[in-house]
């Protein structure tokens, strides 16, 4: 609940790096790059909150990936 995805393509202006498949019904909100730019251009507080949410999401994903990689390396070293 309350997850964001696609933020990397908004930050880097690149194509999405992943595909998302929902396990249940959901409500999804799409925000194109131009609309995001307009929204944030006139409201610095909003821009700060949006980029802060992006940073938190990316940080959590990096932390999970790092932990998984560490555990995989440890498991491989034991075999």
């Amino acid at each position: 609940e309350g997850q964001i995805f696609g933020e990397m393509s908004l930050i880097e202006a690149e194509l999405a790096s992943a595909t998302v498949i929902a396990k249940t019904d959901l409500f999804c909100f799409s925000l194109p790059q131009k609309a995001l730019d307009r929204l944030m251009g006139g409201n610095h507080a909003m821009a700060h909150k949006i980029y802060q949410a992006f940073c938190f999401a990316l940080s959590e994903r990096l932390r999970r990936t790092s932990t998984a990689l560490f555990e995989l390396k440890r498991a491989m070293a034991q075999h």
Side-chain angles (χ1 to χ4, degrees), residues 4 18 20 56 75 77:
I4 62 172
V20 176
F56 286 144

Side-chain angles (χ1 to χ4, degrees), residues 2-76:
Q3 297 297 310
I4 62 172
F5 57 91
E7 72 285 348
M8 288 174 57
S9 64
L10 292 172
I11 294 168
E12 300 176 320
E14 296 287 335
L15 295 176
S17 64
T19 300
V20 176
I21 300 173
K23 292 182 179 179
T24 62
D25 290 343
L26 68 123
F27 176 78
C28 187
F29 180 74
S30 174
L31 186 62
Q33 180 72 52
K34 288 182 181 182
L36 177 65
D37 291 344
R38 280 194 309 272
L39 177 67
M40 294 191 313
N43 189 335
H44 295 292
M46 176 70 76
H48 175 78
K49 289 180 186 260
I50 290 171
Y51 277 113
Q52 188 176 42
F54 288 175
C55 288
F56 286 144
L58 291 169
S59 177
E60 175 60 28
R61 290 180 195 142
L62 179 58
R63 189 177 318 283
R64 278 188 278 143
T65 300
S66 295
T67 299
L69 181 58
F70 174 79
E71 291 172 359
L72 179 61
K73 284 182 177 180
R74 185 173 55 189
M76 290 177 67

